[in-house]
Amino acid sequence: MIIQTLGIVGAGSLGTRIALQGAISGFKVNVYDIDPNSFERSKVTMRKLLAQLDGAKLLDKEKGEQSLHRISFSPNLKDALQEVDFVSENVTEDLETKLIVWKLIGESAAVHAIFTTNTSFLLPSQLAEASGRPARFCAFHFHDVFQSRVVDIMPHSQTDTELIGILQELGKRLDQVPVLVKKEHPGYIFNTLLIAWIDAAGRLLTGDIAEVEAIDKSWMVNFNMSAGPFGILDKVGLDTAWHITNSRRNPASRAFAALLKTYVDQGKLGIKSGEGFYSYPNPRYENKDFCT
């Protein structure tokens, strides 16, 4: 199967990045979101990303501008998906919402399209039947896209095995590093490792052992990293972090989930809202004197 047109459902932070990388890689990209206001925010983010890539000499400015012409935005799901070869779903990390969206995608997308979910913690088997095409359904999970370039491929028991090779090749064409997760596992590989680390940071904070900046400084200095656990949580999104921690039943995770919920209820979602554990665009941990 030759994939030429990508359909991106959800024009949020990650959907925007996937769409832009797809266009940079030469694909035609159709973006859908239920909120048409998100399209302008997405376009602004794309231009900022292109400027960063140009400044880092990773992408020629002219090629970046040309890529934008390969992206179209539509508030109509059927119009966006009727001719696509591949669908990437990037809606909020909520099972009921995703089930509704996947039923609509299944009713709207081209018959031959490959269906993928970018869910961070849910399993593809929880969503596949709702799509109406479980054999053509697989998790295809991106990280940051431009800096963290891993894409996880996680099939479920009904996934057509031929899709795995197609998705591995697509991942490479999108300038990502495909990693196969052989069987369903909440959190894939990296997120499983990350959650154990975040849980430890959460226990230190909710147990009143240390403050946010002290915890981040300890990690950043010891491992010469540009951000600590809470800076990274801001990048992940505190709403996503809450959904993940809230699904866990151990007391420490429940306590941290409760703390994260106070941020989410205030609209403090991290980088995407301008404030989380830190304020953006110039968070304290990026200051030269932070780790002194």
Side-chain angles (χ1 to χ4, degrees), residues 223-280:
F223 284 95
N224 193 28
M225 302 291 285
S226 61
F230 296 101
I232 288 174
L233 274 176
D234 278 352
K235 294 178 182 179
V236 170
L238 301 193
D239 51 342
T240 298
W242 174 77
H243 279 295
I244 294 171
T245 54
N246 194 52
S247 68
R248 296 161 68 81
R249 291 292 173 258
N250 64 80
S253 292
R254 302 298 293 168
F256 190 38
L259 175 63
L260 288 169
K261 188 65 162 58
T262 65
Y263 283 81
V264 173
D265 288 346
Q266 296 175 70
K268 297 179 179 180
L269 308 181
I271 290 176
K272 59 187 173 184
S273 69
E275 186 175 2
F277 287 106
Y278 296 90
S279 296
Y280 297 86

Side-chain angles (χ1 to χ4, degrees), residues 19 55 61 63 68 78 90 92 95 97 106 110 128 132 165 180 230 286:
K61 184 176 182 179
K63 183 179 179 181
L68 295 178
K78 190 165 187 177
N90 302 271
T92 187
L95 179 58
T97 300
L180 177 62
F230 296 101
E286 289 185 354

